[in-house]
Amino acid sequence: MLEVHGLHKKYGRKRPVLQGVSFTVPPNQLTCLIGLNGEGKSTILKSIMGLIPLDAGTIVVDGEMSRERIAFVPDLSTMPGYMTVGDAILYMEDFYPDWNQKTAEELMAFFKLLSTDKISDLSKGNKAKVNLLLGFSLDRPYLLLDEPLAGIDLFTKEQIAWIFSSHYMEGRGILMTTHEIAEVEHLIDRVVFLQDGKIIHEDDAEEMRELYGKSVQDRMREVFQR
Amino acid sequence: MEFDQRSPVYLQVIRWFKERIATGEFVGGQEIPSRRALAAELGINPNTAQKVYKEMEEQQLITTERNVPSRITTDPQVVERVRSELLSEAVAEFVTAVQAIQVPLDEVMSTVQNVYHTNERGELDA
Amino acid sequence: MRKFIMLLNEELKRGAKFYLIALVGLVVLEFVSVIYEIKNYQSNVEEYMRVDRISQMEAIRLAGGPLNFGDATSYFQYIIAIAMMLILLLSFQVWYRDWFGESKYIYRLLMLPGKRTAILMSKLTAVFLTIASFIGIQWMVLLLSGSLFKWLTPEDLMESKRVFGENRIISMFYTFNIADTLIILLVSTLVVSFVFHIILIERSYRKPIAIMHVVIDVVLLIVPLVGLVYIFENTHFLYPDQITTFVIGYFLLYFVYVYWKSIRLLNHKISI
């Protein structure tokens, strides 16, 4: 279980972006963090990974306060542009003991990426695929995805969405932020609603549908139009 | 597979199985794809596939043994049960729709017979 | 340690292009400047001879005496100054290039397993190696320029007595021993550490707070040092030798503080 407790973050004297955010990401499920633009979804993911320092809050992963069991897929490239896909993979293999080369090669083939492709020359969709590859090829039980489908063409979206139905999902608890709810509705296990820097609801998606006949999007409208 | 987002995905998948069991498209004893393969084929979360299989096992629609692919039940009573379940569901929906416009029963019945026969003929011609 | 070496390798790869361009540019500039000075002097002498109709010896005297090596390399001090500016620029660029641009490599650096200290050390070492290589190459260019000077300058125009003339920089270079070179490298490393420190402060705090931190750190360096040295000199509490030792000790202590604070910022305060 990935547990997040009391995250607080303030930039200067403005209102805090995060005011005591607490929620859990269960293993082996796809949890979607939903909030309107600029509400701090990205900040939550980045602060879980230690990229943004928190004013307060703790992150516990399977009982330990260590980030080494979480992988992060941001919405931009993290490898220098002059690197090729092959270089990036070698880099990850060198630095990460939990790198799975087999997964990387499988995903490279599935995404139709060449190891000689230079990252700076790739289209936005292909860059996103590379990011996903780098994240999924780490054998870590938790994965954070920041807007994996944003601004990507239809066919690439389908390829990326395929991952969520594949065996690469097994043994992973995933926390995802996205605005493209319609595309991934049927894949989501849980939803966590963020508003005004606080978590206002956590719902099990299938329960919501079974008990109330509501889709995630319906629930979104309910929750945010207060 | 397209999903209705307002009803649980796992139930929709089970229904998909039930329809094919009822029509005999899935024969008793037939092997069904693994959870993984099902997830990939239908484009669903593997967890949902897991839930589907568990539920189908509980409803005795499939039999599972270790290390062996699951199979459709060979029990004819189960198949019959599924058929009548689907029939009852369809009828219940229909009756609700028809009662909403307050049509008397005998008119309903004769219309049903007409449409049923017309459809049948249409399928034979096609 | 392994992480440090791999990161260092990456830093060097990232900077290789600019390094080579800068190096080649500076070296070519230095050689060209030597040739220019020689030719310029020659043409001056010839012009004096032609216009004033005097002998070569007279012309040489008018041109300020024979040309010595120091005169020929008089542009070197400016080129060295340019090199120092480039190194300063590099010290900033080595960090900021990871933040700005299409990819944010800094995300990757901060998420890598292992200690973040390796990030700081690899960048520091990369700049250090650049400085050391510049110094080494400057030495070689100097030797080659000497040969070039002897080859191109006509004997009667060349001065071999006051070889360095008024050029203090070059004479300094020639009297360098290992100890002096090491001191230069140490001082440069400390300066670069300080620059890194400022960069990390800037990347960790909002502007007004960042400025406050920098001001405090600068004050912490200068005020106690100047104050105590003043007191020591006037009260004759310490011998001059001891004062020097004190200053060196203070510097080292200060930079231990800078290092400690930089690491702390990198571990706890830095934000993407």
Side-chain angles (χ1 to χ4, degrees):
Chain A
M1 188 76 90
L2 168 56
E3 297 161 68
V4 155
H5 297 290
L7 304 186
H8 270 274
K9 178 70 186 174
K10 193 160 78 151
Y11 286 108
R13 287 173 196 264
K14 300 185 210 146
R15 242 179 66 242
V17 174
L18 305 177
Q19 300 180 49
V21 167
S22 303
F23 62 94
T24 56
V25 180
N28 299 314
Q29 286 188 36
L30 178 56
T31 303
C32 197
L33 178 61
I34 297 181
L36 303 175
N37 273 330
E39 287 271 351
K41 304 192 292 294
S42 218
T43 308
I44 291 176
L45 294 196
K46 289 170 185 166
S47 61
I48 292 176
M49 283 314 284
L51 295 172
I52 293 182
L54 289 164
D55 298 328
T58 52
I59 291 135
V60 182
V61 185
D62 291 338
E64 282 176 19
M65 298 192 31
S66 155
R67 295 188 166 103
E68 308 235 315
R69 297 167 65 82
I70 314 177
F72 180 44
V73 178
D75 56 354
L76 42 74
S77 281
T78 58
M79 293 301 202
Y82 67 79
M83 275 192 180
T84 63
V85 174
D87 291 335
I89 289 178
L90 285 173
Y91 181 104
M92 297 293 281
E93 199 181 17
D94 280 339
F95 278 98
Y96 287 91
D98 42 12
W99 176 255
N100 189 324
Q101 183 64 18
K102 185 157 161 285
T103 307
E105 285 168 11
E106 287 170 6
L107 286 176
M108 205 164 75
F110 173 72
F111 282 142
K112 298 202 181 32
L113 295 165
L114 297 172
S115 65
T116 50
D117 286 334
K118 206 159 95 142
I119 293 186
S120 57
D121 291 338
L122 292 175
S123 66
K124 189 162 173 149
N126 283 335
K127 281 193 182 137
K129 288 192 227 173
V130 171
N131 283 345
L132 225 62
L133 186 159
L134 296 181
F136 269 93
S137 302
L138 284 174
D139 283 337
R140 294 186 173 189
Y142 296 97
L143 198 55
L144 309 180
L145 306 178
D146 198 356
E147 302 278 353
L149 302 173
I152 291 175
D153 67 86
L154 183 65
F155 302 112
T156 310
K157 261 194 222 181
E158 279 175 6
Q159 275 191 307
I160 291 177
W162 177 88
I163 295 249
F164 299 129
S165 335
S166 72
H167 65 279
Y168 296 114
M169 293 288 287
E170 286 168 18
R172 280 192 222 263
I174 299 188
L175 177 66
M176 182 171 90
T177 66
T178 186
H179 287 294
E180 331 269 325
I181 310 277
E183 320 264 353
V184 291
E185 256 259 31
H186 59 287
L187 296 164
I188 299 175
D189 292 307
R190 288 183 76 242
V191 278
V192 175
F193 292 99
L194 174 74
Q195 193 179 48
D196 290 333
K198 293 189 267 284
I199 301 297
I200 49 180
H201 277 292
E202 284 182 63
D203 286 309
D204 179 300
E206 290 279 73
E207 260 179 41
M208 217 160 60
R209 295 176 189 125
E210 204 162 355
L211 299 176
Y212 307 113
K214 292 194 187 126
S215 70
V216 172
Q217 290 171 84
D218 289 336
R219 191 79 174 112
M220 257 187 90
R221 283 197 197 96
E222 260 181 26
V223 163
F224 288 126
Q225 267 156 20
R226 291 273 172 84
Chain B
M1 187 168 154
E2 289 291 321
F3 293 101
D4 167 22
Q5 293 167 354
R6 293 198 168 103
S7 81
V9 177
Y10 85 105
L11 288 181
Q12 292 176 56
V13 176
I14 292 178
R15 194 200 168 78
W16 184 83
F17 271 93
K18 282 184 179 172
E19 282 173 3
R20 279 152 187 77
I21 291 176
T23 59
E25 194 184 319
F26 283 174
V27 178
Q30 179 177 338
E31 261 181 37
I32 53 174
S34 67
R35 289 165 186 72
R36 269 194 194 184
L38 186 75
E41 208 181 295
L42 298 181
I44 56 174
N45 193 324
N47 289 331
T48 313
Q50 177 78 8
K51 221 169 161 181
V52 165
Y53 276 47
K54 185 154 162 277
E55 185 63 27
M56 288 206 297
E57 231 182 85
E58 274 175 25
Q59 290 189 24
Q60 295 172 326
L61 299 172
I62 59 170
T63 56
T64 322
E65 278 160 62
R66 261 213 223 152
N67 299 330
V68 171
S70 304
R71 292 168 183 279
I72 303 285
T73 182
T74 45
D75 185 347
Q77 284 189 324
V78 174
V79 177
E80 187 48 47
R81 189 197 0 122
V82 168
R83 275 188 76 246
S84 50
E85 237 184 71
L86 292 177
L87 177 61
S88 310
E89 270 177 40
V91 166
E93 267 180 53
F94 170 73
V95 166
T96 313
V98 142
Q99 280 179 338
I101 48 173
Q102 297 174 339
V103 179
L105 186 59
D106 29 333
E107 198 183 326
V108 171
M109 296 301 274
S110 60
T111 316
V112 169
Q113 277 190 313
N114 282 340
V115 173
Y116 199 90
H117 290 314
T118 319
N119 269 6
E120 259 187 339
R121 250 177 280 139
E123 278 190 19
L124 285 175
D125 292 342
Chain C
M1 185 58 176
R2 186 156 174 267
K3 181 179 177 184
F4 161 72
I5 297 205
M6 291 195 288
L7 284 179
L8 177 61
N9 186 33
E10 206 54 49
E11 291 293 333
L12 296 176
K13 275 202 280 187
R14 286 195 93 183
K17 227 200 306 193
F18 285 120
Y19 174 78
L20 282 175
I21 293 175
L23 193 64
V24 167
L26 291 170
V27 166
V28 164
L29 216 60
E30 288 198 329
F31 282 133
V32 164
S33 79
V34 168
I35 296 172
Y36 170 78
E37 283 286 14
I38 295 173
K39 293 299 170 198
N40 191 39
Y41 180 82
Q42 254 186 303
S43 78
N44 279 351
V45 168
E46 274 159 25
E47 194 173 317
Y48 278 131
M49 281 171 66
R50 196 167 39 86
V51 169
D52 300 342
R53 289 165 177 272
I54 47 179
S55 71
Q56 192 178 25
M57 269 204 334
E58 283 284 308
I60 289 175
R61 207 168 46 81
L62 277 178
L67 189 71
N68 58 46
F69 185 57
D71 296 329
T73 54
S74 62
Y75 278 104
F76 277 26
Q77 54 195 332
Y78 303 112
I79 296 173
I80 290 175
I82 292 175
M84 293 204 284
M85 287 291 117
L86 288 178
I87 303 257
L88 191 63
L89 210 73
L90 175 69
S91 308
F92 282 97
Q93 208 231 2
V94 104
W95 287 96
Y96 286 108
R97 70 183 168 199
D98 296 339
W99 256 277
F100 300 110
E102 264 184 43
S103 354
K104 297 254 162 87
Y105 181 51
I106 187 66
Y107 280 43
R108 182 57 55 197
L109 284 178
L110 293 177
M111 291 196 293
L112 288 174
K115 297 205 189 293
R116 286 187 179 175
T117 317
I119 302 175
L120 179 68
M121 294 312 279
S122 62
K123 290 186 190 290
L124 191 62
T125 309
V127 178
F128 171 84
L129 289 175
T130 308
I131 296 175
S133 70
F134 271 20
I135 292 177
I137 289 170
Q138 176 64 83
W139 242 107
M140 290 197 284
V141 171
L142 218 53
L143 291 172
L144 291 173
S145 299
S147 309
L148 187 66
F149 172 71
K150 283 198 209 129
W151 179 50
L152 282 183
T153 313
E155 259 203 56
D156 25 359
L157 272 63
M158 181 167 37
E159 157 150 35
S160 41
K161 280 201 211 134
R162 295 165 55 236
V163 183
F164 300 120
E166 317 256 291
N167 195 333
R168 310 237 311 272
I169 307 279
I170 301 301
S171 68
M172 234 174 38
F173 253 97
Y174 265 90
T175 55
F176 262 7
N177 51 33
I178 298 284
D180 288 336
T181 318
L182 286 178
I183 290 178
I184 295 270
L185 285 174
L186 181 67
V187 170
S188 322
T189 309
L190 296 182
V191 170
V192 173
S193 303
F194 192 75
V195 172
F196 280 9
H197 180 56
I198 295 181
I199 294 171
L200 288 173
I201 290 177
E202 194 272 323
R203 292 281 97 194
S204 302
Y205 297 111
R206 293 169 291 130
K207 219 163 50 173
I209 311 247
I211 293 178
M212 185 187 82
H213 274 264
V214 172
V215 165
I216 288 179
D217 281 341
V218 169
V219 162
L220 211 62
L221 173 67
I222 296 184
V223 167
L225 192 62
V226 168
L228 287 170
V229 169
Y230 182 77
I231 292 173
F232 289 152
E233 275 190 350
N234 285 5
T235 61
H236 299 290
F237 187 64
L238 292 180
Y239 290 122
D241 280 357
Q242 291 175 320
I243 293 181
T244 315
T245 315
F246 167 74
V247 169
I248 294 174
Y250 188 86
F251 261 101
L252 290 177
L253 209 69
Y254 182 77
F255 281 96
V256 166
Y257 159 74
V258 163
Y259 174 79
W260 169 83
K261 189 154 169 212
S262 299
I263 297 292
R264 203 176 142 268
L265 289 173
L266 199 53
N267 279 327
H268 301 293
K269 290 280 184 211
I270 204 164
S271 188
I272 44 150

